[in-house]
Amino acid sequence: MDKDSLASIGQRIQKARIARGMNQTELADELGVKPQAIQHWERGTAQPKTSRIPAIAKALSVQTAWLLNDESDLSSKPDNSSISHDEEFILNQYRKMDSTRKKIFEDIASVLTNQDSDSAK
């Protein structure tokens, strides 16, 4: 991969990470790498292992093809344009949670949703 390709992959990783409201350390923790690896990828001084690309895409909620593609594919970028500011805030907070907190949040949301649908009857 040439230097321009390294930089563009790094730029897309950074763009998606910021869109998710994550910092480099949070992404590194989710991927099981050191924060310095994320820094190098985003600066274009190193590239992630090919085998790691699907995990990066999953962690950033983007398609693998978008990370690897030199051309912007708007359909595979994070798209929060159809949700309200409040929904986006909740989504970003959820994405920052560890798996235990996500489960608690999901349980609470389930109870509240069932309660709302029960009260509408």
Side-chain angles (χ1 to χ4, degrees), residues 106-121:
E106 291 163 1
D107 289 345
I108 291 170
S110 178
V111 169
L112 291 174
T113 303
N114 289 337
Q115 201 170 26
D116 287 346
S117 64
D118 291 342
S119 64
K121 292 179 181 178

Side-chain angles (χ1 to χ4, degrees), residues 71-89:
E71 297 179 19
S72 289
D73 178 7
L74 296 175
S75 65
S76 55
K77 291 181 184 176
D79 180 15
N80 293 340
S81 62
S82 64
I83 63 174
S84 72
H85 178 71
D86 290 340
E87 290 168 326
E88 184 175 0
F89 174 79

Side-chain angles (χ1 to χ4, degrees), residues 3-55:
K3 190 172 182 177
D4 289 339
S5 295
L6 287 175
S8 50
I9 288 171
Q11 289 167 350
R12 283 189 288 279
I13 290 171
Q14 182 179 40
K15 186 173 194 168
R17 176 182 58 76
I18 291 169
R20 273 209 59 208
M22 297 176 84
N23 63 41
Q24 290 178 335
T25 301
E26 291 167 334
L27 179 57
D29 289 346
E30 194 163 330
L31 296 172
V33 299
K34 294 182 179 180
Q36 292 82 357
I38 308 299
Q39 292 170 4
H40 288 294
W41 299 344
E42 291 184 357
R43 288 184 187 149
T45 57
Q47 67 179 2
K49 293 178 183 177
T50 305
S51 61
R52 198 178 298 278
I53 298 292

Side-chain angles (χ1 to χ4, degrees), residues 60-76:
L60 296 173
S61 302
V62 297
Q63 294 177 4
T64 302
W66 181 74
L67 284 177
L68 299 173
N69 191 355
D70 286 339
E71 297 179 19
S72 289
D73 178 7
L74 296 175
S75 65
S76 55

